[in-house]
Amino acid sequence: MHQSSTLYVGMDVHKESITVAYVAKDHEAEVISLGTFGTRQCDIDTLIRKLQSKAQHLVFVYEAGPCGYWLYRYLTKKDYVCWVVAPSLMPKKAGDRVKTDRRDARQLARLMRSGDLTPVYVPAVDDAAIRDLSRAREDTLRDLQAAKLRLKAFLLRHAIRSTGRANWSPAHLRWLSEVVCPTPAQQIVFQEYVQTVTEQSERLGRLELEIHEQVKTWRLAPVVEALQALRGVQCTVAVTTVAELGDLTRFENPRQLMNYLGLTPSEYSSGARRQQGSITKTGNTHARRALVRTYLRFSMYFA
């Protein structure tokens, strides 16, 4: 193989191993499996040295997954081209039910050479940090809602009813502090449920406070402030939206942005028949959920 040729390197990345395959730029070249490597930086350096002996220009590609973008950042820091692709956008043969790490790596290298892959947006380190903070708040909010639901279900099972109208108001919280269950065991369960709600509420408050503090020094803070000028958009919603979208200039038009958020209507048309349905709900679920909640809250307020 000529030293000036290009190698497309497919990597199937896992927690403890990376299965690698490569193929030359020439379309008649065969895909070659290179084997399995570790995930330490010294293992990646070993992989690079082996590939550099075969070609001067290397193009890496792997699927987005739970291992994050550390490999992308490490390779791009060494001035290599690296793509991270969405598994849902990879072309697959119908009826292909054989899946192995080796086959996945070979398929990535082959599709990268043919140009059938689309890279996903990889956020900068600072942007990813704010996104992690906003997602931690979203997880806490979900845990708080589940804790409240368990407490309400416990009270309903034992016919313990509040005389107030609003749940989780100061009056309702005072009533909870005075509840006495029929048996000591049930009282223990009740107190644990109440304590869980209290802890999750305090955790949510801490995270929201940190979001307000961290966003002040964020490079996208002006965009967050601009979004809050819209009626009904609070700071946490603006931060979540901007953190999930990242650089807005990567969208060429509003339609691409709506497609990324999954807010465009679904469609099933054939011939003269055109039928549109609900939104597609594809793309980024975190940003879409924040925007939909804001819209519903705003609609209920002015209903």
Side-chain angles (χ1 to χ4, degrees), residues 207-231:
L207 286 172
E208 290 181 347
L209 180 62
E210 289 298 332
I211 288 175
H212 284 79
E213 290 298 323
Q214 295 294 327
V215 76
K216 293 178 181 178
T217 58
W218 190 26
R219 68 180 184 89
L220 296 177
V223 184
V224 174
E225 294 181 3
L227 280 181
Q228 292 181 72
L230 299 174
R231 183 174 297 178

Short mmCIF file of all heavy atoms in Angstrom, two decimals, residues 207-231:
data_model
loop_
_atom_site.label_atom_id
_atom_site.label_comp_id
_atom_site.label_asym_id
_atom_site.label_seq_id
_atom_site.Cartn_x
_atom_site.Cartn_y
_atom_site.Cartn_z
N LEU A 207 -29.20 22.34 42.45
CA LEU A 207 -28.79 22.27 41.05
C LEU A 207 -29.25 23.51 40.28
O LEU A 207 -28.50 24.03 39.44
CB LEU A 207 -29.37 21.01 40.40
CG LEU A 207 -28.69 19.69 40.82
CD1 LEU A 207 -29.45 18.51 40.27
CD2 LEU A 207 -27.25 19.65 40.34
N GLU A 208 -30.45 23.98 40.53
CA GLU A 208 -30.92 25.18 39.85
C GLU A 208 -30.08 26.39 40.23
O GLU A 208 -29.80 27.26 39.39
CB GLU A 208 -32.39 25.42 40.17
CG GLU A 208 -33.32 24.40 39.52
CD GLU A 208 -34.78 24.66 39.83
OE1 GLU A 208 -35.06 25.48 40.75
OE2 GLU A 208 -35.64 24.06 39.16
N LEU A 209 -29.66 26.46 41.49
CA LEU A 209 -28.78 27.55 41.92
C LEU A 209 -27.44 27.47 41.21
O LEU A 209 -26.90 28.50 40.75
CB LEU A 209 -28.60 27.50 43.43
CG LEU A 209 -27.70 28.59 44.04
CD1 LEU A 209 -28.29 29.97 43.77
CD2 LEU A 209 -27.52 28.36 45.53
N GLU A 210 -26.89 26.27 41.07
CA GLU A 210 -25.62 26.10 40.38
C GLU A 210 -25.74 26.44 38.90
O GLU A 210 -24.81 26.99 38.31
CB GLU A 210 -25.11 24.67 40.55
CG GLU A 210 -24.62 24.34 41.95
CD GLU A 210 -23.44 25.18 42.35
OE1 GLU A 210 -22.67 25.61 41.45
OE2 GLU A 210 -23.28 25.43 43.56
N ILE A 211 -26.88 26.12 38.30
CA ILE A 211 -27.08 26.47 36.89
C ILE A 211 -27.04 27.98 36.72
O ILE A 211 -26.39 28.51 35.79
CB ILE A 211 -28.41 25.89 36.38
CG1 ILE A 211 -28.31 24.36 36.22
CG2 ILE A 211 -28.81 26.52 35.05
CD1 ILE A 211 -29.61 23.70 35.83
N HIS A 212 -27.72 28.71 37.59
CA HIS A 212 -27.72 30.17 37.50
C HIS A 212 -26.31 30.74 37.69
O HIS A 212 -25.96 31.75 37.05
CB HIS A 212 -28.66 30.76 38.56
CG HIS A 212 -30.10 30.64 38.20
ND1 HIS A 212 -30.81 29.47 38.35
CD2 HIS A 212 -30.98 31.55 37.70
CE1 HIS A 212 -32.06 29.65 37.96
NE2 HIS A 212 -32.20 30.91 37.56
N GLU A 213 -25.49 30.11 38.54
CA GLU A 213 -24.14 30.61 38.79
C GLU A 213 -23.20 30.26 37.65
O GLU A 213 -22.41 31.10 37.20
CB GLU A 213 -23.62 30.03 40.11
CG GLU A 213 -24.30 30.57 41.34
CD GLU A 213 -24.11 32.06 41.51
OE1 GLU A 213 -23.01 32.56 41.19
OE2 GLU A 213 -25.06 32.75 41.96
N GLN A 214 -23.26 29.01 37.16
CA GLN A 214 -22.32 28.56 36.13
C GLN A 214 -22.57 29.23 34.79
O GLN A 214 -21.63 29.44 34.01
CB GLN A 214 -22.40 27.04 35.98
CG GLN A 214 -21.93 26.27 37.21
CD GLN A 214 -20.46 26.45 37.49
OE1 GLN A 214 -19.65 26.61 36.57
NE2 GLN A 214 -20.11 26.45 38.77
N VAL A 215 -23.81 29.56 34.50
CA VAL A 215 -24.13 30.12 33.19
C VAL A 215 -23.59 31.54 33.05
O VAL A 215 -23.44 32.04 31.92
CB VAL A 215 -25.66 30.09 32.96
CG1 VAL A 215 -26.35 31.21 33.75
CG2 VAL A 215 -26.00 30.20 31.48
N LYS A 216 -23.26 32.20 34.15
CA LYS A 216 -22.77 33.57 34.08
C LYS A 216 -21.44 33.65 33.35
O LYS A 216 -21.16 34.65 32.68
CB LYS A 216 -22.62 34.14 35.49
CG LYS A 216 -23.94 34.33 36.23
CD LYS A 216 -23.70 34.86 37.63
CE LYS A 216 -25.03 35.03 38.39
NZ LYS A 216 -24.80 35.50 39.78
N THR A 217 -20.61 32.63 33.48
CA THR A 217 -19.29 32.62 32.82
C THR A 217 -19.27 31.77 31.56
O THR A 217 -18.20 31.54 30.99
CB THR A 217 -18.23 32.09 33.81
OG1 THR A 217 -18.60 30.78 34.25
CG2 THR A 217 -18.12 33.01 35.02
N TRP A 218 -20.40 31.31 31.11
CA TRP A 218 -20.48 30.47 29.92
C TRP A 218 -20.41 31.33 28.67
O TRP A 218 -20.97 32.44 28.62
CB TRP A 218 -21.79 29.67 29.97
CG TRP A 218 -21.91 28.59 28.95
CD1 TRP A 218 -20.91 27.92 28.35
CD2 TRP A 218 -23.12 28.04 28.43
NE1 TRP A 218 -21.41 26.98 27.47
CE2 TRP A 218 -22.78 27.03 27.52
CE3 TRP A 218 -24.47 28.31 28.68
CZ2 TRP A 218 -23.72 26.30 26.83
CZ3 TRP A 218 -25.42 27.57 27.99
CH2 TRP A 218 -25.05 26.57 27.08
N ARG A 219 -19.77 30.83 27.63
CA ARG A 219 -19.63 31.60 26.41
C ARG A 219 -20.96 31.83 25.70
O ARG A 219 -21.10 32.79 24.93
CB ARG A 219 -18.64 30.90 25.46
CG ARG A 219 -19.16 29.57 24.88
CD ARG A 219 -18.16 28.92 23.96
NE ARG A 219 -18.69 27.73 23.33
CZ ARG A 219 -19.37 27.73 22.17
NH1 ARG A 219 -19.56 28.85 21.53
NH2 ARG A 219 -19.83 26.59 21.68
N LEU A 220 -21.94 30.97 25.97
CA LEU A 220 -23.26 31.12 25.34
C LEU A 220 -24.26 31.81 26.25
O LEU A 220 -25.47 31.75 26.00
CB LEU A 220 -23.79 29.74 24.93
CG LEU A 220 -22.99 29.01 23.85
CD1 LEU A 220 -23.58 27.64 23.57
CD2 LEU A 220 -22.94 29.83 22.56
N ALA A 221 -23.76 32.49 27.29
CA ALA A 221 -24.66 33.21 28.19
C ALA A 221 -25.49 34.27 27.47
O ALA A 221 -26.69 34.44 27.79
CB ALA A 221 -23.86 33.83 29.32
N PRO A 222 -24.96 35.02 26.49
CA PRO A 222 -25.81 35.99 25.76
C PRO A 222 -26.98 35.34 25.04
O PRO A 222 -28.07 35.91 24.96
CB PRO A 222 -24.84 36.65 24.78
CG PRO A 222 -23.49 36.49 25.41
CD PRO A 222 -23.54 35.16 26.10
N VAL A 223 -26.79 34.13 24.52
CA VAL A 223 -27.89 33.43 23.84
C VAL A 223 -28.95 33.02 24.86
O VAL A 223 -30.16 33.10 24.59
CB VAL A 223 -27.35 32.19 23.09
CG1 VAL A 223 -28.47 31.51 22.31
CG2 VAL A 223 -26.22 32.58 22.16
N VAL A 224 -28.52 32.59 26.05
CA VAL A 224 -29.46 32.23 27.11
C VAL A 224 -30.29 33.45 27.51
O VAL A 224 -31.52 33.36 27.67
CB VAL A 224 -28.70 31.67 28.32
CG1 VAL A 224 -29.64 31.43 29.49
CG2 VAL A 224 -28.00 30.37 27.95
N GLU A 225 -29.65 34.59 27.65
CA GLU A 225 -30.38 35.81 28.00
C GLU A 225 -31.35 36.22 26.90
O GLU A 225 -32.46 36.68 27.18
CB GLU A 225 -29.39 36.94 28.28
CG GLU A 225 -28.51 36.72 29.51
CD GLU A 225 -27.57 37.86 29.75
OE1 GLU A 225 -27.63 38.85 28.98
OE2 GLU A 225 -26.76 37.78 30.69
N ALA A 226 -30.94 36.03 25.66
CA ALA A 226 -31.82 36.40 24.55
C ALA A 226 -33.06 35.51 24.52
O ALA A 226 -34.18 35.99 24.25
CB ALA A 226 -31.06 36.29 23.22
N LEU A 227 -32.92 34.23 24.81
CA LEU A 227 -34.07 33.33 24.82
C LEU A 227 -35.05 33.68 25.93
O LEU A 227 -36.26 33.50 25.78
CB LEU A 227 -33.61 31.88 24.97
CG LEU A 227 -33.09 31.18 23.72
CD1 LEU A 227 -32.70 29.75 24.03
CD2 LEU A 227 -34.14 31.20 22.61
N GLN A 228 -34.55 34.17 27.05
CA GLN A 228 -35.43 34.52 28.15
C GLN A 228 -36.29 35.74 27.85
O GLN A 228 -37.23 36.03 28.59
CB GLN A 228 -34.59 34.78 29.42
CG GLN A 228 -33.93 33.54 29.96
CD GLN A 228 -33.14 33.81 31.22
OE1 GLN A 228 -33.69 34.05 32.28
NE2 GLN A 228 -31.82 33.79 31.10
N ALA A 229 -35.96 36.45 26.77
CA ALA A 229 -36.82 37.55 26.35
C ALA A 229 -38.15 37.06 25.79
O ALA A 229 -39.12 37.83 25.73
CB ALA A 229 -36.10 38.41 25.30
N LEU A 230 -38.21 35.78 25.40
CA LEU A 230 -39.46 35.21 24.93
C LEU A 230 -40.39 34.95 26.12
O LEU A 230 -39.95 34.52 27.18
CB LEU A 230 -39.20 33.89 24.19
CG LEU A 230 -38.33 33.99 22.93
CD1 LEU A 230 -38.04 32.60 22.38
CD2 LEU A 230 -39.01 34.86 21.88
N ARG A 231 -41.63 35.20 25.95
CA ARG A 231 -42.60 35.05 27.03
C ARG A 231 -42.72 33.58 27.44
O ARG A 231 -42.94 32.71 26.62
CB ARG A 231 -43.97 35.59 26.60
CG ARG A 231 -45.03 35.54 27.69
CD ARG A 231 -46.31 36.22 27.22
NE ARG A 231 -46.10 37.64 26.97
CZ ARG A 231 -47.07 38.45 26.52
NH1 ARG A 231 -48.27 37.96 26.24
NH2 ARG A 231 -46.81 39.73 26.32
#
